[in-house]
């Protein structure tokens, strides 16, 4: 069974940093592109970033480019999102997603709250 | 960047109704157009990928079609458990744009 579990969400102040983790199991993690998608309270879905299966290719949404960094550790089956210079508008539930044609499997999400 | 506009923003329908949700792209697309279902408080679920391919485990009452700039998600016979928000999404080499969502009640 494919399982994705996010962790690391917290309440922080603007300008601070946070690192999200996603532990993957039930599939060959190293064979898949992986993504982060977020959803602000009461709002729609927003794609954040993705990385290819070996971690060498990374693409970011314009809204996070230069502030967020996606990475992965295939030996530990983990995906990460380093978030720097956080803004109030980054407040959202962040989902770890396995990509395969579409965004095939999502974790339950972890909440990041940025407030003064 | 290509923008996706869904219509309607929300709709009310009865059990057994045929429901159609539209997704219009700001320019013609040749890459993947996907559809997702999201129930309140839950993660999104992939329904349709590559415009018209049904994801494994998704009921056959869901179908997708379209080309160019106009795409459609159809629920052939609405069931109570289909109450949710539906999103279209474009997959390209540089971004994964979502539509704004359609709430089905």
């Amino acid at each position: 069974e494919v399982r994705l579990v996010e962790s690391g969400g917290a309440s922080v102040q603007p300008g601070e940093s946070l690192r999200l983790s996603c532990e993957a199991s039930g599939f060959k993690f190293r064979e898949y592109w992986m993504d982060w998608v977020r959803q602000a309270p009461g709002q729609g879905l927003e794609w954040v970033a993705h990385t290819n299966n070996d971690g060498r290719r990374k693409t970011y949404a314009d809204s996070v480019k230069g502030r967020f960094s996606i990475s992965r550790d295939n030996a530990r089956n983990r995906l990460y999102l380093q978030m720097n210079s956080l803004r109030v508008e980054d407040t959202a539930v962040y989902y770890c997603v396995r990509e395969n044609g579409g965004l095939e499997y999502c974790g339950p999400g972890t909440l990041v709250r940025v407030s003064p | 960047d290509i923008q996706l506009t869904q219509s309607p923003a929300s709709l009310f329908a009865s059990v057994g109704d045929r429901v159609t949700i539209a997704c219009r792209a700001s320019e013609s697309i040749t890459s993947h157009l996907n559809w997702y279902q999201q129930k309140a408080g839950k993660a999104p679920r992939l329904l349709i990928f590559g415009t018209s391919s049904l994801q494994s485990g998704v009921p056959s009452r869901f179908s997708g079609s379209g080309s160019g700039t106009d795409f459609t998600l159809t629920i052939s016979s609405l069931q109570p458990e289909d109450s949710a928000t539906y999103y279209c999404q474009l997959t390209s080499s540089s971004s994964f744009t979502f539509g704004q969502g359609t709430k089905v009640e």
Side-chain angles (χ1 to χ4, degrees):
Chain A
E1 178 194 2
V2 173
R3 197 154 181 262
L4 299 167
V5 180
E6 304 90 343
S7 61
S11 292
V12 297
Q13 295 190 332
E16 293 186 340
S17 298
L18 208 55
R19 188 196 198 202
L20 304 183
S21 295
C22 171
E23 183 175 0
S25 60
F27 65 101
K28 293 181 180 178
F29 181 72
R30 66 179 65 246
E31 293 185 356
Y32 290 87
W33 289 56
M34 296 295 296
D35 298 59
W36 288 97
V37 170
R38 68 183 182 183
Q39 187 168 35
Q43 303 300 309
L45 299 167
E46 181 186 15
W47 173 79
V48 173
H50 75 165
T51 181
N52 75 325
N53 53 332
D54 67 6
R56 295 183 183 184
R57 292 172 59 185
K58 305 172 186 182
T59 309
Y60 300 91
D62 288 343
S63 58
V64 306
K65 203 172 292 184
R67 300 188 298 122
F68 289 13
S69 178
I70 188 171
S71 61
R72 65 191 295 162
D73 183 341
N74 284 346
R76 299 183 64 202
N77 291 344
R78 286 189 181 265
L79 179 73
Y80 302 100
L81 185 68
Q82 177 66 43
M83 304 185 294
N84 298 329
S85 302
L86 282 162
R87 304 169 179 168
V88 171
E89 55 264 35
D90 295 320
T91 294
V93 173
Y94 285 73
Y95 296 102
C96 168
V97 186
R98 187 179 94 170
E99 183 185 326
N100 185 25
L103 302 174
E104 190 179 25
Y105 287 100
C106 291
T110 187
L111 176 62
V112 173
R113 195 188 310 271
V114 186
S115 62
Chain B
D1 288 354
I2 298 175
Q3 305 300 315
L4 298 178
T5 302
Q6 290 182 231
S7 60
S10 65
L11 65 92
F12 290 88
S14 299
V15 173
D17 283 354
R18 182 181 181 88
V19 170
T20 299
I21 299 170
C23 178
R24 174 164 286 180
S26 57
E27 57 188 82
S28 184
I29 61 176
T30 56
S31 49
H32 296 297
L33 195 287
N34 308 315
W35 290 95
Y36 300 84
Q37 176 194 66
Q38 187 180 33
K39 297 185 178 180
K42 301 292 187 181
R45 173 196 183 194
L46 178 64
L47 298 177
I48 303 287
F49 63 95
T51 301
S52 58
S53 298
L54 194 66
Q55 174 70 356
S56 175
V58 174
S60 58
R61 63 180 179 273
F62 291 93
S63 64
S65 63
S67 64
T69 60
D70 294 304
F71 299 84
T72 300
L73 173 71
T74 299
I75 309 173
S76 61
S77 178
L78 193 69
Q79 299 302 302
E81 61 267 30
D82 299 336
S83 181
T85 300
Y86 293 83
Y87 296 91
C88 60
Q89 182 237 351
L90 169 67
T91 301
S92 72
S93 59
S94 60
S95 70
F96 287 66
T97 307
F98 284 95
Q100 80 278 20
T102 295
K103 189 171 185 178
V104 174
E105 299 178 277

